[in-house]
Amino acid sequence: MVKKDLINHLSHNFGFTKSVSITVVSDIFNEIKNAIARGDIVKLKGFGVFTRKTVKSRICRDPRNGERVDSPSKKKVLFKVSKELKKFINS
């Protein structure tokens, strides 16, 4: 499923117009992205939890020539699946 499929599902099953469905889906995704960028934890009951983690800077090696390369610190998004979703998928 892609974003377009979700928009079509909303418009057909709930009677929303295509433009309203696009606005709803975009606003939901934007709010989730903004919350994660702020460092908030996004909990979607029955689905999972999105969190942000900062990875420390470190020294790596370039595999092509063995030269040391500094890898700067960066932020990454983590997602933990809820027990309900795990159970649903595995049943």
Side-chain angles (χ1 to χ4, degrees), residues 38 48 75:
R38 287 190 306 265
K75 297 176 180 100

Side-chain angles (χ1 to χ4, degrees), residues 7-49:
I7 291 167
N8 288 333
H9 178 76
L10 283 176
S11 63
H12 288 114
N13 292 348
F14 295 101
F16 296 152
T17 63
K18 202 78 141 183
S19 62
V20 169
S21 298
I22 291 170
T23 303
V24 168
V25 171
S26 295
D27 286 350
I28 289 171
F29 287 157
N30 285 334
E31 188 56 36
I32 291 171
K33 287 191 297 187
N34 291 335
I36 293 169
R38 287 190 306 265
D40 295 344
I41 296 172
V42 178
K43 295 180 184 178
L44 302 172
K45 186 167 175 68
F47 190 72
V49 179

